[in-house]
Amino acid sequence: MPKKADYQIVWSRIQKSYEVVHGSFSFLLLHSSLDMWLDLSDTFHVCSSTGQTFTLRKEAKQRGGGYWYGYKRVHGRVEKKYIGEKSKVTIEALEAVARHFAELTSPSPPPPPPRQEPPPPPPRTSTLKFEKTLQSALHIYGFSTIPAQKELTLKYRELSKQHHPDMGGVHEDMVAVNLAYGYLKKFVS
């Protein structure tokens, strides 16, 4: 568990500027004095003028000094924001980091309203009815007399394309076309 920062950089509403707070002491923070405070500690708790808080921490590198980062827990995850070397840590940079974390914590925009689905088309109704008679079969196929085998096959393919459920037809109509075809085949030579 990370230790609590001993030093705090907070906005003073009374002084209208930032202060460094250590224990019960507070010191006015000037641009020129910020470098001195950064040399005293590697960790600061920062509270910006807008009330946004984060942790300012120096991470030591193998070569050279170290680099400063801002940290904040956002939605259960620790977010990290690079600031840079000590010379890059300014009051303006701290406020920019606070704004960055404020953007991350602000609620995401509401989801778009659900799409309105078009109303379903009215149910299709059967238009063909086969009554197990020659007249009924001829009527379904549009023949006045018994056709030749070739004519019957061509008309069957045409009606199948028109009434097949996969092509937008009604199942009952396709059944009537099939039954009438089987019935007419008995009479075709």
Side-chain angles (χ1 to χ4, degrees), residues 14-74:
I14 297 169
Q15 298 286 340
K16 302 275 191 237
S17 68
Y18 282 95
E19 295 178 333
V20 174
V21 177
H22 179 65
S24 60
F25 300 101
S26 63
F27 306 91
L28 190 62
L29 181 64
L30 304 172
H31 288 280
S32 58
S33 65
L34 182 58
D35 281 351
M36 178 195 71
W37 289 108
L38 293 175
D39 288 335
L40 286 177
S41 180
D42 291 342
T43 306
F44 292 86
H45 173 78
V46 179
C47 182
S48 73
S49 59
T50 59
Q52 293 297 321
T53 61
F54 66 94
T55 300
L56 176 66
R57 182 168 287 138
K58 178 181 177 183
E59 291 185 8
K61 300 298 177 190
Q62 286 181 344
R63 296 185 186 146
Y67 297 99
W68 290 88
Y69 293 87
Y71 291 89
K72 182 166 180 82
R73 184 172 298 277
V74 178

Side-chain angles (χ1 to χ4, degrees), residues 8 12 18 27 57-58 74 99 106 111-112 120 140 156 173 182:
Q8 298 178 11
S12 170
Y18 282 95
F27 306 91
R57 182 168 287 138
K58 178 181 177 183
V74 178
R99 281 192 303 275
S106 65
I140 288 172
Y156 172 75
D173 286 348

